[in-house]
Amino acid sequence: MHQTLEFVVRHGYLLLFLWILAEQAALPLPSIPLLLAAGALIHDGRMHLAPVILLGVMASLLADNGWYQLGRHRGSRVLNFLCRIALEPDSCVRRTESAFLRYGSRSLLLAKFVPGLNAAATPLAGISGMSLPRFLLFDTLGALLWISSYTLAGYVFAGQLEKVFTYAEQMGAWLGIVIALLLAGWIAWKFIQRRRFLRKLQVSRITVDELRGRLDAGEDVVILDVRSGLETGHAIPGALRIPIEELNGRHLDIPRDRDIVLFCS
């Protein structure tokens, strides 16, 4: 543990920059412990506040701008990619879309504090057509708020963190083993949840050909298009179009006396 802290002191600024850059690029590397440690080291005079804030914001903006450009030029395919690599069920992206549609650019201010929203908010900004200057303004403020909050927490609770480091040093290698087991267990549980979700969803699906056959047979089936307002695509002839973010207010428009087929992407 002592060697680890010395490594952080010697390479702290570069490590912080690369770590935040990797996390914001969607790698599973939590930056919060590193920001807390940076705050504690600032308290001890072994690091300085300005470089920590500046490099953290720069790393965040660099990764976020990449996701913004991908969202702007690739559209919903970026969200589909995020959904495939995420451990959370596919509905996490849909909830993020609803939040973004409700709060717009303001959602970028708190996006980094919310799991799921952090990953999808920046490409959603590009998909929604938000201008680059507006995106950079709100994303910079959000990154500044996020980095400053955890760095300040590390500074204020430096004494308590020092005790944690002392206990961790006493535990030695056992601490790493415990953390690795907990992380592996969490990932396994999330993977199991995702598989259950997909299995449950699979049994309720209907193919395009099956739907066409039912319509050709004269069955009275309602096609409900619930694609969000951020998604662009061809309209479905005869479908009832209610974006998912409007379902609560327009649910009475949906017939209750026949089968309903939902279309989303």
Side-chain angles (χ1 to χ4, degrees), residues 28-45:
L29 299 173
S31 297
I32 294 176
L34 194 59
L35 290 172
L36 292 173
L41 291 172
I42 292 170
H43 181 274
D44 294 340

Side-chain angles (χ1 to χ4, degrees), residues 54-125:
L54 179 61
L55 290 172
V57 171
M58 286 176 57
S60 181
L61 286 177
L62 185 61
D64 290 352
N65 185 58
W67 284 114
Y68 169 83
Q69 295 297 338
L70 284 173
R72 194 169 189 175
H73 297 289
R74 298 292 181 179
S76 59
R77 283 176 291 181
V78 179
L79 294 181
N80 293 334
F81 170 74
L82 286 173
C83 194
R84 284 196 298 269
I85 65 175
L87 290 173
E88 295 289 343
D90 298 356
S91 58
C92 69
V93 172
R94 189 67 61 196
R95 291 195 302 266
T96 303
E97 284 185 348
S98 299
F100 192 85
L101 284 167
R102 182 176 181 181
Y103 300 107
S105 54
R106 292 175 298 169
S107 63
L108 293 172
L109 296 176
L110 299 177
K112 297 189 183 304
F113 293 94
V114 183
L117 183 59
N118 179 32
T122 47
L124 277 172

Side-chain angles (χ1 to χ4, degrees), residues 9-26:
V9 172
R10 286 197 305 271
H11 308 284
Y13 299 119
L14 178 61
L15 177 64
L16 185 72
F17 178 84
L18 295 177
W19 195 282
I20 292 177
L21 179 65
E23 184 200 26
Q24 297 305 303

Side-chain angles (χ1 to χ4, degrees), residues 75-76 127 227-234 241 265:
S76 59
I127 293 172
R227 287 175 294 176
S228 77
L230 290 175
E231 297 182 56
T232 58
H234 297 293
R241 177 79 169 105
S265 60

Side-chain angles (χ1 to χ4, degrees), residues 83 90-91 194 197-211 214 260-262 264-265:
C83 194
D90 298 356
S91 58
R194 179 181 174 87
F197 176 82
L198 292 177
R199 267 199 307 269
K200 182 178 179 181
L201 187 63
Q202 186 66 38
V203 299
S204 302
R205 286 182 173 174
I206 182 173
T207 67
V208 175
D209 291 336
E210 290 171 340
L211 177 60
R214 294 184 63 175
I260 299 173
V261 176
L262 301 178
C264 60
S265 60

